[in-house]
Amino acid sequence: MPAVAIPGSKSITARALFLAAAADGVTTLVRPLRSDDTEGFAEGLVRLGYRVGRAPESWQVDGRPEGPAVAEADVYCRDGATTARFLPTLAAAGHGTYRFDASEQMRRRPLLPLSRALRDLGVDLRHEEAEGHHPLTVRASGVEGGEVVLDAGQSSQYLTALLLLGPLTRTGLRIRVTDLVSVPYVEITIAMMRAFGVEVAREGNVFVVPAGGYRATTYAIEPDASTSSYFFAAAALTPGAEVTVPGLGTGALQGDLGFVDVLRRMGADVSVTPEGTTVRGTGRLHGLTVNMRDISDTMPTLAAIAPFADGPVRIEDVANTRVKECDRLEACAENLRRLGADVTVGPDWIEIRPGLDPATAGAEIKTYGDHRIVMSFAVTGLRVPGISFDDPGCVRKTFPGFHEAFAALRRDIGH
């Protein structure tokens, strides 16, 4: 029974880096994810004057409740959405002039609802080229606080950024949310803020965050649930195969662990204990209709195994996947069609009918530079010989060792 060592959660590592930088004292992060995104976040903190000590198994961050240690900085956020959205928000609580830019891919991704909310709180934030996109400059003079209205229908990261900012304001924040996607990620934020000494209250669609700052702590990062989905899907697709991810079980913070409930509905055997989660392939994979609004990062994983189900798989309420690293609905549809699948796509849904064309073995998957497209279609490759990728290296964003780990799994489950 292969126990797969999955790297730490990207979303938890990014939040932990923000919290550690904002906290009073030295925080130790245990088993953080080391990937392009999180290294970019840590590098951004260093550019802002925070001390970040990176040992192989733990990172130490000297917190600065008063904000960045430098009065001017130029920060490159790479491809990281959390870096590009959280760091300007952190910098706003300090005093100085801070410029942020990002990769072409990240420059295309939206930021406007967060920019508007920060401006409503009195932050001097200017987009240099396209309104609502990087590059941008923050002329920071601290944040007073108060009430702000936010549309988080495109990304829950906008709300997370404001929640994280709340304790650094002078009077606290009341955030009124008009729309919200990916609720479990907000619950991760609130749980982690609690670990750093801050209690967020919720009154309907209003989140109330007190002023008063964060306390430094030692914080262990759990394995990444979205990354685990590819290994769980591989087990579900393979009769008799079994995969266990230790350290990701009952009590896990990440909503994406809910992906195993989808596999259970399709016929896989699933066991979730305090120690970890195990998925075993039964030889059955049923079609289903599933709402994945709250676990949309695992939509491509399900799409990649959908043609092997015994009936249609319809995934609904995932409009926000169109504004990720790429338009993931269209990317999944295009690649499945390259493999001979019958696919229909709507504004916020995709339906995949059973069967692939054997003549398409050896197709090249068009990745759009999106790590999740590569990792998802690696699972399809368990059943379709000779699949290749036009950019296999883009997995470094979240899991630099993915191809080696997945090859080891293939050997273990007899592929």
Side-chain angles (χ1 to χ4, degrees), residues 69-208:
V70 296
E72 281 185 28
D74 214 319
V75 178
Y76 181 64
C77 301
R78 305 191 193 180
D79 276 341
T82 47
T83 311
R85 291 162 178 170
F86 294 179
L87 285 184
T89 309
L90 176 67
H95 292 79
T97 302
Y98 308 108
R99 184 179 180 275
F100 298 88
D101 201 357
S103 68
E104 279 304 314
Q105 184 190 62
M106 190 58 227
R107 275 183 167 204
R108 289 194 296 272
R109 294 180 70 179
L111 194 71
L112 193 56
L114 177 59
S115 302
R116 282 186 175 143
L118 288 170
R119 285 173 181 153
D120 288 346
L121 290 168
V123 176
D124 180 350
L125 185 156
R126 289 174 203 179
H127 292 282
E128 293 172 19
E129 294 176 20
E131 183 62 13
H133 295 269
H134 279 73
L136 62 92
T137 298
V138 175
R139 288 179 177 78
S141 54
V143 181
E144 183 62 30
E147 178 149 344
V148 68
V149 177
L150 175 73
D151 179 348
Q154 259 179 343
S155 172
S156 63
Q157 287 178 4
Y158 307 148
L159 176 55
T160 280
L162 292 179
L163 288 168
L164 292 170
L165 172 66
L168 303 178
T169 63
R170 288 185 272 274
T171 61
L173 276 188
R174 289 176 62 86
I175 308 159
R176 185 176 301 279
V177 178
T178 57
D179 189 20
L180 179 58
V181 72
S182 305
V183 173
Y185 282 98
V186 176
E187 289 166 353
I188 291 174
T189 305
I190 291 170
M192 292 183 66
M193 288 170 69
R194 188 178 299 124
F196 283 78
V198 172
E199 201 62 56
V200 175
R202 185 168 183 182
E203 303 162 2
N205 63 347
V206 178
F207 293 81
V208 183

Side-chain angles (χ1 to χ4, degrees), residues 385-401:
I387 276 183
S388 63
F389 300 97
D390 63 5
D391 182 10
C394 66
V395 296
R396 65 184 167 272
K397 182 176 170 70
T398 48
F399 191 175

Side-chain angles (χ1 to χ4, degrees), residues 153 160 245 378 380:
T160 280
V245 176
T380 315

Side-chain angles (χ1 to χ4, degrees), residues 209-234:
V209 193
Y214 296 103
R215 282 196 311 273
T217 187
T218 297
Y219 194 87
I221 311 288
E222 68 189 34
D224 194 292
S226 313
T227 302
S228 301
S229 74
Y230 313 111
F231 295 85
F232 291 141

